[in-house]
Amino acid sequence: MKIVVIGGTGNIGSKLVSQLARHGHETVAAAPTTGVNTLTGEGLTGVLAGASVVIDVSNSPSFEDSAVMRFFETSTRNLLAAEAAAGVAHHVALSVVGTDRLPESGYFQAKVAQEQLIGKSSIPYSIVHATQFFEFVASIADDATVGGTVRLAPVLFQPIAGDDVAQAVGRISTGAPLNGRVEVAGPERFRMDEFFRQALTARNDPREVVTDPHARYFGAELSEGTLVPGSDAILGETRYSDWPGRTVV
């Protein structure tokens, strides 16, 4: 089948394109650099012609509240309208575990808006909620840095390797639409502050991790289980200690 990956040149998108192609699917990476812009609608009609499945793993170039809301609402509306015209049979979107539990965060409000648009559309869909990627450890630490220290809450944290996310999304995309959500997460659960102490040490990062129950995560205060999935989540196989990128600075 023909599968179009929106955001197909990014971290997860490029992994998906490679994995699906290896399984014999006609897979197209769609992104502004390949002539497809979901914000303006440019290139959507052409790239979706003959597509059975569309996987949206795109992300906003700006995390400023109004910009990120505009990105997810506008791009999702444009994409769903183009899919309906092209007769796409399955829309798959990648989202985040805990999105609906973080109303203080503009980014997560925008992801909720995206999911609501998908749920109201006429196109059968599957939404994959993933926990934080191993690849984002450095950026999470950077966002939590205050005055030279990394301030993190002692809450539960269950990150996952990007390859495992791509594998799960790819498998779901080639199956029957769920018309609902599924969660994917890493195989190990940590306390967030303790995880980052070990992770930064492995990267030879000199910053001190300070435990702060009121530390904010991308603008939102966390409770114990905000970032972790339910008991029926699909678990990846890669442990952080075995992930090749864990020592990359």
Side-chain angles (χ1 to χ4, degrees), residues 221-238:
E221 193 166 314
L222 302 173
S223 61
E224 177 77 0
T226 300
L227 300 179
V228 292
S231 59
D232 57 348
I234 298 169
L235 300 184
E237 298 181 356
T238 309

Side-chain angles (χ1 to χ4, degrees), residues 61-81:
S62 169
F63 281 15
E64 188 274 324
D65 286 359
S66 60
V68 74
M69 182 64 78
R70 174 177 172 269
F71 175 84
F72 281 115
E73 286 192 328
T74 303
S75 63
T76 301
R77 285 194 182 102
N78 287 341
L79 185 55
L80 291 171

Side-chain angles (χ1 to χ4, degrees), residues 16-235:
L16 267 169
V17 169
S18 296
Q19 288 185 13
L20 291 166
R22 285 198 299 269
H23 285 87
H25 299 290
E26 179 189 351
T27 312
V28 181
T33 55
T34 67
V36 179
N37 189 323
T38 54
L39 267 180
T40 64
E42 177 190 359
L44 281 177
T45 299
V47 80
L48 295 184
S52 299
V53 180
V54 171
I55 306 172
D56 185 5
V57 293
S58 63
N59 208 353
S60 173
S62 169
F63 281 15
E64 188 274 324
D65 286 359
S66 60
V68 74
M69 182 64 78
R70 174 177 172 269
F71 175 84
F72 281 115
E73 286 192 328
T74 303
S75 63
T76 301
R77 285 194 182 102
N78 287 341
L79 185 55
L80 291 171
E83 288 177 25
V88 170
H90 190 183
H91 178 95
V92 182
L94 180 61
S95 192
V96 189
V97 166
T99 288
D100 54 352
R101 299 193 288 265
L102 289 163
E104 295 174 87
S105 166
Y107 181 85
F108 290 102
Q109 287 180 15
K111 293 298 288 183
V112 168
Q114 177 193 29
E115 293 185 33
Q116 289 173 342
L117 288 169
I118 294 167
K120 292 175 183 176
S121 79
S122 61
I123 302 167
Y125 70 93
S126 301
I127 296 174
V128 182
H129 278 199
T131 54
Q132 291 65 37
F133 307 159
F134 292 166
E135 289 86 346
F136 291 168
V137 164
S139 60
I140 292 172
D142 290 345
D143 185 75
T145 297
V146 179
T149 61
V150 183
R151 307 189 75 85
L152 292 162
V155 298
L156 296 175
F157 188 61
Q158 197 169 339
I160 183 170
D163 282 328
D164 290 347
V165 174
Q167 185 176 51
V169 172
R171 185 166 59 248
I172 290 163
S173 71
T174 57
L178 302 173
N179 291 316
R181 297 166 179 79
V182 65
E183 294 181 314
V184 299
E188 301 173 287
R189 188 169 285 192
F190 307 91
R191 210 177 81 171
M192 192 176 194
D193 53 337
E194 293 176 349
F195 172 87
F196 276 88
R197 283 194 184 94
Q198 296 175 18
L200 294 185
T201 297
R203 290 169 173 262
N204 294 314
D205 190 317
R207 286 177 291 179
E208 177 188 6
V209 174
V210 174
T211 301
D212 179 356
H214 301 292
R216 289 185 172 266
Y217 175 78
F218 292 99
E221 193 166 314
L222 302 173
S223 61
E224 177 77 0
T226 300
L227 300 179
V228 292
S231 59
D232 57 348
I234 298 169
L235 300 184

